[in-house]
Amino acid sequence: MASGGSAIRGSRVGAGPMGEQDHGHHAERIAVSYWDALGNETVRYFAANLPADEIPTTIDSPSSGLPAGRDRANPPAVAKTEPYKTHLAYVKERRTDEEAAQLLEEALKQLRIRRGKIPADS
């Protein structure tokens, strides 16, 4: 029968004399609830000695992907996503040739004023 290493069967590799409480796993904690816009609750745990201003007021909710806040009555609003615009929608938004020429002329005039080519009062 082949065996490797010196670990006793069933024991954790690397386990020493320190218990979990020495690692901080049993430190005193407080539970903070967060609610997202869909009403999902997420509970996060923080160290009890953490100052209140270091506990975040909003987090990302893993259950919905929306932001979640600590105030249950007023959760953050659902993020508004813009619908995808097709190329045709952008073409319809374009200005007319007259408007484009006027905008170009105004931009060139402002550039000339900044460079000092023409006086600002003209």
Side-chain angles (χ1 to χ4, degrees), residues 17-122:
M18 291 196 333
E20 290 180 351
Q21 61 215 13
D22 299 323
H23 289 287
H25 295 305
H26 291 296
E28 193 174 332
R29 299 183 179 273
I30 56 169
V32 178
S33 294
Y34 295 90
W35 288 271
D36 64 13
L38 301 177
N40 299 317
E41 181 182 12
T42 302
V43 178
R44 295 284 167 93
Y45 294 91
F46 298 95
N49 60 354
L50 194 66
D53 58 339
E54 289 189 24
I55 297 176
T57 55
T58 59
I59 61 165
D60 289 331
S61 175
S63 53
S64 66
L66 299 171
R70 293 175 66 179
D71 186 6
R72 184 176 188 162
N74 300 307
V78 177
K80 294 181 181 175
T81 57
E82 294 237 351
Y84 174 76
K85 280 188 176 180
T86 62
H87 176 68
L88 184 59
Y90 282 109
V91 170
K92 288 181 181 178
E93 289 180 0
R94 287 186 185 159
R95 301 180 188 278
T96 63
D97 290 340
E98 296 82 22
E99 288 176 323
Q102 183 182 1
L103 285 172
L104 178 62
E105 191 59 41
E106 288 175 11
L108 289 172
K109 183 178 178 183
Q110 290 293 326
L111 185 61
R112 289 181 186 122
I113 289 172
R114 284 189 204 142
R115 292 189 175 180
K117 302 239 181 190
I118 58 173
D121 56 347
S122 63

